[in-house]
Amino acid sequence: MNQEQIIQEIKKGRIFIYPTDTIYGLGCDATNIKAVEKIKEIKQRDKDKPLSIIAPSINWIKENLIIDCDLDKYLPGPYTIILKKKNPNFLSHVSNKESLGVRIPNHEFTRKIQESNLPFITTSVNLSGEPFITKISDINPDILEQVEHIIDYGELNGKPSTIIIQGKILER
C-alpha cells in the first residue's frame, strides 16, 4: 500500500494493525467516533478507559494540549506523554478525562500516518489485560478478522511505551 492509499484509508475510518518503535498497535483516525468505538470493542476494553493518540506533529500537540515538559526530549521516541487538554471536551470519545496521552513513535510507519494530518489512535493490539504483541503471528485471530489493514514489519523488539506525566517517568 502506497503513501496516498494509506492516507485515504485512514480518512475512510479504516482500522489498522501497525508497527511502532515498541510493539504492534491498533489504530484509526482518532476524530472518527465510530472507528474509535470499534477499536474499544475489538480490545474488549472498558468504554470509559482513555486511549492515547499518535500526534500528527509537535505543533498539533502545542495547539491542543498544555505542555508541561520538554517534548523534544521524548518525541519521537518510545514514550506516551500525558498532557492536559486545552479544551476538556477535545477528543472526549478518545479520553473523557481532562488529559490525553500522546505519542510520536520513532518509526517510518508513524511518518506515513502523520501525513494524514489527523490524530491516530494508538493502543496495543491485544485484548485488554492480555500480553502485548511483538509479531503479527501472535495476534488473536478474532482481532485479525476485525481490522481492514495489517502492516507487518516483522518481529519488533519492544515493550509498551514509557509513560511521562508532568515531565516525570511513571514507573509501571
Side-chain angles (χ1 to χ4, degrees):
M1 191 172 357
N2 70 29
Q3 179 64 41
E4 194 52 43
Q5 291 168 313
I6 291 168
I7 291 169
Q8 290 308 315
E9 291 298 289
I10 290 170
K11 290 181 175 179
K12 288 178 185 171
R14 303 291 192 251
I15 310 282
F16 286 76
I17 291 173
Y18 62 94
T20 71
D21 54 357
T22 54
I23 59 177
Y24 277 95
L26 186 62
C28 66
D29 168 6
T31 66
N32 185 316
I33 294 171
K34 279 179 73 167
V36 172
E37 286 173 353
K38 184 174 178 190
I39 283 183
K40 289 179 180 182
E41 283 173 27
I42 290 170
K43 282 189 64 83
Q44 300 173 9
R45 184 182 177 113
D46 176 352
K47 298 240 184 288
D48 290 333
K49 193 171 178 194
L51 293 167
S52 295
I53 57 118
I54 292 175
S57 66
I58 296 285
N59 279 343
W60 184 94
I61 296 171
K62 291 175 179 174
E63 286 169 19
N64 295 292
L65 305 167
I66 298 166
I67 310 306
D68 63 7
C69 66
D70 179 2
L71 296 179
D72 294 333
K73 181 177 174 182
Y74 301 109
L75 303 177
Y79 300 97
T80 299
I81 304 175
I82 310 297
L83 296 170
K84 196 167 182 170
K85 301 175 192 175
K86 288 184 178 177
N87 171 352
N89 295 322
F90 180 66
L91 292 177
S92 59
H93 59 283
V94 174
S95 172
N96 60 7
K97 313 283 187 251
E98 58 184 31
S99 59
L100 179 67
V102 291
R103 287 203 70 201
I104 299 179
N106 188 8
H107 193 281
E108 76 176 281
F109 192 73
T110 297
R111 292 183 276 288
K112 294 178 181 183
I113 291 168
Q114 288 180 305
E115 291 287 320
S116 72
N117 288 319
L118 292 165
F120 193 81
I121 294 295
T122 185
T123 184
S124 56
V125 61
N126 55 311
L127 298 176
S128 232
E130 291 196 355
F132 60 87
I133 303 291
T134 57
K135 57 182 191 254
I136 298 293
S137 59
D138 290 344
I139 298 173
N140 182 315
D142 292 341
I143 293 175
L144 293 173
E145 287 173 16
Q146 297 180 71
V147 304
E148 283 85 15
H149 299 290
I150 300 168
I151 311 297
D152 190 346
Y153 269 69
E155 187 163 359
L156 305 175
N157 58 358
K159 60 186 188 341
S161 62
T162 301
I163 296 183
I164 308 291
I165 298 179
Q166 295 174 332
K168 295 182 179 60
I169 293 176
L170 179 72
E171 298 299 329
R172 292 187 190 220

